Amino acid sequence: MKIPILLNNGMVNIMIHFCEVIVKKYSNIPIFIPELACPHQCVFCNQTKISGTHSIPQPKEIRHIVAQYLETIPANRIINIAFFGGSFTGIPIDLQEQYLKEAFWFVKNGKVSGIRLSTRPDYINETILELLKKYGVTTIELGAQSTSRNVLNQSGRGHTPEDIQNASRMIRTYGFELGLQMMIGLPEDSYEQSIQTTNDIVSFGASNTRIYPAIIVKGTALEKRYREGKYIPLSLEQAVEWTKGLVRIFERNNVSVIRMGLHPSDELVTGKSLIDGPFHPAFKEMVMTKIWEEIIHAKLKENTSGKIRISVSDKQMHYAIGYKQANKTRLQSRGYAVQFTGNHTFSRYQIDVCDN
C-alpha cells in the first residue's frame, strides 16, 4: 500500500511514498508415506511411531487430502505439498508418477506453489530428477543424518558420505533447492563430528536443514542396544547445547534451519512410543533460549547497572526472555531488575541494553 504525502517546501512539492512490505509465510501440506520404499532398517527408525501415521494414502486420495488442508490455511501464504516420512524416490517409478500427477494438479491450477519431498541420498539419479522436474517439484530434502562413515555404518544407513555429496551435486545441477537433514547423538557420534557434518552440509550447497536429536523409539534396533547397555542417548541438555552451536554455524553460512527437534506427534508427546532420549515439544524454544543467553551475557559485560532495559526484535522477544522465562529469571537471580521490550525495527539478533 502506498500512501502519498504532499509536503510544500516553498517552491518544491515533495511526494513521499510509504510502502507496506508484506512478508509471506510458508505452509506445507504434509503427506506421510512411512517406510513405503525403504529397504534399510536404520537403528533409530520406526516411522509409524515417529510420525504417528499408521496408514499410507493412495494416490487417488491425494486431492482430497490437499483440498482439506487448503480450506484451513490462511490467505497470503506460500503453500507447498510435501511428501515426508519415507524415501519417496525409492517408490516404483510408476507409483511415484501417480502421486506426483495428483499433487501437480494443484500446482497447475495455482492452488500451491510447488512440491517438496524427502528421500535418501542413494535414491537420486538422472531419471528420477527428470521426473521430479516434470511434475513441479521445487525442493528435495535428503536424509543425510551424518557425514561420518563410522556413524552411518553404526546406524545402519546403507549409504556413504560420497552418496550424500554426489546426490547433493546432482540436485543442485538440476536446479532444485537442496535440503540436508542431520541427526545428532547417533551411535559413535560426537559433538566434533556433528560440527563436521554441519560444515559438510554447508559445503554441499544446502539452502536449508533440519536438526533432529536421536531418540529411542519402541520397536527399533536402537531400543535393543539401549536395553543391552550398548547405547546411551544424549541428555536433553546436551542435545540443546549441541544444537545451539550447530545453528550458529548454519546461520553464519545462510543455511536456513527449518526445524529443530522432532515433530511432536501424539505417539511421542504421550510417551506411548518414546523409550528415552532428548525429545521435547519446545525443543526449538529451548535452543533459542540458550542462544539468547549467550547474546545477553556478552552484552551485559558492557553494563554494570543493576536496573536495565533490554530491547530486542519483537519476533525474538519470547526467545530472549527464555523458555519458561529462564533468561529473565537468571538475570534476576544475578541481581538485575530487568525489563524486556520489543522493537519492530531491530534485526534478528540485534540487542540494546541500557539503564532503566
Side-chain angles (χ1 to χ4, degrees):
M1 179 176 63
K2 294 183 178 180
I3 306 173
I5 298 179
L6 192 61
L7 302 180
N8 194 320
N9 185 25
M11 296 177 62
V12 181
N13 289 329
I14 304 172
M15 185 75 76
I16 300 177
H17 289 86
F18 292 94
C19 296
E20 179 181 340
V21 179
I22 300 174
V23 179
K24 287 193 174 184
K25 295 182 178 181
Y26 287 80
S27 290
N28 284 332
I29 297 175
I31 300 174
F32 287 95
I33 46 171
E35 296 181 354
L36 185 58
C38 190
H40 304 280
Q41 188 62 56
C42 302
V43 295
F44 54 82
C45 191
N46 185 331
Q47 282 290 350
T48 298
K49 297 295 186 184
I50 292 171
S51 69
T53 303
H54 297 274
S55 61
I56 299 169
Q58 298 302 307
K60 63 184 179 182
E61 299 176 80
I62 299 303
R63 289 200 195 187
H64 177 66
I65 294 170
V66 174
Q68 282 189 313
Y69 270 100
L70 287 174
E71 291 178 359
T72 67
I73 297 175
N76 296 322
R77 281 181 176 258
I78 298 172
I79 304 170
N80 289 293
I81 297 172
F83 290 102
F84 288 141
S87 301
F88 186 86
T89 59
I91 303 170
I93 199 159
D94 59 335
L95 185 54
Q96 282 185 60
E97 191 162 16
Q98 290 178 49
Y99 278 114
L100 291 169
K101 275 183 179 178
E102 296 298 324
F104 189 51
W105 184 89
F106 292 92
V107 178
K108 288 189 299 182
N109 288 278
K111 305 291 186 181
V112 304
S113 298
I115 301 167
R116 64 188 301 142
L117 57 86
S118 60
T119 192
R120 291 172 53 88
D122 49 341
Y123 284 179
I124 292 293
N125 57 47
E126 291 186 356
T127 301
I128 291 294
L129 294 174
E130 292 285 356
L131 179 70
L132 302 185
K133 201 73 175 178
K134 177 182 176 182
Y135 286 107
V137 173
T138 53
T139 303
I140 301 172
E141 293 188 45
L142 299 179
Q145 316 313 0
S146 176
T147 55
S148 162
R149 196 178 308 276
N150 187 36
V151 172
L152 293 174
N153 289 339
Q154 290 293 320
S155 301
R157 285 295 292 164
H159 66 76
T160 66
E162 290 77 18
D163 290 329
I164 302 170
Q165 186 172 16
N166 293 336
S168 297
R169 183 179 63 251
M170 291 180 67
I171 288 167
R172 295 183 67 232
T173 298
Y174 270 77
F176 296 99
E177 182 179 356
L178 171 67
L180 287 172
Q181 304 167 4
M182 68 179 293
M183 188 170 286
I184 59 173
L186 288 168
E188 303 298 324
D189 198 12
S190 65
Y191 181 60
E192 291 72 25
Q193 179 51 55
S194 73
I195 293 288
Q196 183 61 56
T197 295
T198 299
N199 288 328
D200 287 339
I201 286 174
V202 171
S203 69
F204 293 166
S207 62
N208 63 78
T209 189
R210 300 173 192 259
I211 305 172
Y212 296 126
I215 61 173
I216 302 167
V217 176
K218 288 181 182 178
T220 62
L222 208 55
E223 179 190 6
K224 184 173 184 293
R225 293 191 194 181
Y226 171 75
R227 296 197 184 283
E228 293 173 348
K230 297 177 180 177
Y231 172 74
I232 300 174
L234 296 178
S235 68
L236 182 59
E237 292 75 16
Q238 285 176 311
V240 167
E241 194 67 26
W242 284 29
T243 303
K244 177 195 71 175
L246 308 185
V247 166
R248 297 300 265 166
I249 294 173
F250 283 129
E251 289 177 337
R252 286 197 296 271
N253 289 279
N254 298 314
V255 177
S256 175
V257 182
I258 58 179
R259 181 153 201 96
M260 305 175 209
L262 285 163
H263 175 74
S265 69
D266 288 341
E267 288 280 347
L268 297 180
V269 171
T270 61
K272 292 178 183 176
S273 301
L274 181 64
I275 301 296
D276 200 352
F279 170 76
H280 197 286
F283 186 80
K284 176 182 177 179
E285 189 173 353
M286 297 171 83
V287 173
M288 295 303 297
T289 294
K290 282 292 184 181
I291 288 174
W292 271 101
E293 181 187 354
E294 286 191 351
I295 293 170
I296 294 169
H297 178 73
K299 191 68 176 177
L300 283 180
K301 290 180 180 178
E302 306 168 12
N303 191 296
T304 57
S305 172
K307 194 174 183 181
I308 57 173
R309 183 173 70 250
I310 298 177
S311 298
V312 299
S313 164
D314 286 340
K315 294 180 180 179
Q316 291 289 311
M317 191 162 70
H318 61 296
Y319 294 139
I321 293 172
Y323 175 64
K324 293 187 175 180
Q325 299 198 340
N327 288 337
K328 183 177 182 179
T329 301
R330 191 175 293 109
L331 290 170
Q332 289 172 336
S333 70
R334 292 169 54 191
Y336 287 101
V338 59
Q339 177 188 2
F340 284 85
T341 61
N343 190 315
H344 71 278
T345 68
F346 276 24
S347 58
R348 187 176 191 185
Y349 290 133
Q350 187 175 350
I351 182 173
D352 180 67
V353 180
C354 61
D355 294 335
N356 193 6

